[in-house]
Amino acid sequence: MEGEVTERDFVEYVRLHGTPREPGRRVEILYKNLNAPSKRRKPLPLVEEAIPFVASAERAARKAGIEEDAWNWPQVWCLFDRDQHEDIPSAFARAKKAGVRIAYSHPCFELWRLFHYQNYTSTFGGVCDSAADRLKQQPGFVQTYGPNMPRVSPEAAKHVMPDQLRGRYEKARKFAEQNARNARRPDQTQWDPYTDVWRFVEEGLGVRDY
């Protein structure tokens, strides 16, 4: 995962409170880069680091007698944003070739969080701050720092709180799908706005709602 705080908070909430797509199915999550320096959490280094785990996980699965089309066949995911990264197309190409799955947000993960409240179809111009500012205006974000001064600190906004997600998944998924038409463009850096985090929720985490 590219982010140090937000994505991890989100995954943990969904893992603990999500409704499984298949009751009784247990999903095990292994994080591989939580303490990595920032330069290794950029899209292409993330994918390059993930590639060996595909082979090792699949070898272990075959050794255990798991068939490739089985529900418990291992998956390796990278979650990253557009931000200002220059290696997005290369990261996508390497991931596709190696069997690494991607959950991608443009301009950033805050768009997926914003979709839990409202749709947004206009371009952000690749600027994450615009999405983050809209997000911080939503219920559950306002904190008071003095008389008549409601605002949200950047650090506080990074943390995902239950009330920001609970009961909002279907709305977020619907809005994300409505913006999926932007993915018709060949260059992923032009998919603005776009997020397919819902695919990771359903296919990677095995959750259909939260």
Side-chain angles (χ1 to χ4, degrees), residues 31-49:
Y31 299 100
K32 292 297 185 179
N33 73 321
L34 292 181
N35 299 313
S38 59
K39 65 180 180 180
R40 285 173 50 200
R41 292 199 305 273
K42 295 180 180 180
L44 187 55
L46 269 180
V47 170
E48 296 286 2
E49 190 167 329

Side-chain angles (χ1 to χ4, degrees), residues 18-184:
T19 303
R21 295 178 67 186
E22 300 178 27
R25 173 181 173 182
R26 186 175 68 88
V27 175
E28 182 179 3
I29 304 170
L30 300 176
Y31 299 100
K32 292 297 185 179
N33 73 321
L34 292 181
N35 299 313
S38 59
K39 65 180 180 180
R40 285 173 50 200
R41 292 199 305 273
K42 295 180 180 180
L44 187 55
L46 269 180
V47 170
E48 296 286 2
E49 190 167 329
I51 288 173
F53 293 114
V54 176
S56 61
E58 291 183 350
R59 281 197 301 269
R62 292 190 185 97
K63 186 176 181 180
I66 301 173
E67 298 183 2
E68 290 194 25
D69 59 351
W71 67 265
N72 54 343
W73 187 254
Q75 301 176 17
V76 176
W77 286 81
C78 287
L79 276 66
F80 58 78
D81 305 337
R82 167 66 178 103
D83 287 331
Q84 299 301 314
H85 301 304
E86 299 178 354
D87 52 8
I88 299 290
S90 297
F92 268 86
R94 290 288 290 129
K96 182 177 180 179
K97 183 177 181 180
V100 174
R101 304 192 185 198
I102 290 175
Y104 175 61
S105 298
H106 190 318
C108 54
F109 191 79
E110 279 67 25
L111 174 66
W112 171 245
R113 298 176 67 192
L114 179 63
F115 280 165
H116 287 70
Y117 295 91
Q118 66 174 71
N119 198 4
Y120 192 87
T121 59
S122 299
T123 177
F124 284 102
V127 180
C128 183
D129 287 349
S130 296
D133 287 344
R134 284 184 173 272
L135 178 65
K136 288 187 289 187
Q137 297 171 18
Q138 306 303 322
F141 283 85
V142 175
Q143 300 177 12
T144 301
Y145 288 76
N148 302 316
M149 296 177 60
R151 70 180 189 271
V152 181
S153 70
E155 287 303 314
K158 290 181 181 179
H159 290 279
V160 179
M161 308 303 291
D163 286 345
Q164 299 166 5
L165 300 176
R166 187 182 296 116
R168 302 177 185 270
Y169 175 71
E170 286 299 325
K171 177 188 291 186
R173 188 185 194 278
K174 180 182 73 173
F175 292 153
E177 287 186 304
Q178 290 175 2
N179 283 275
R181 63 184 181 278
N182 292 326
R184 298 171 186 167

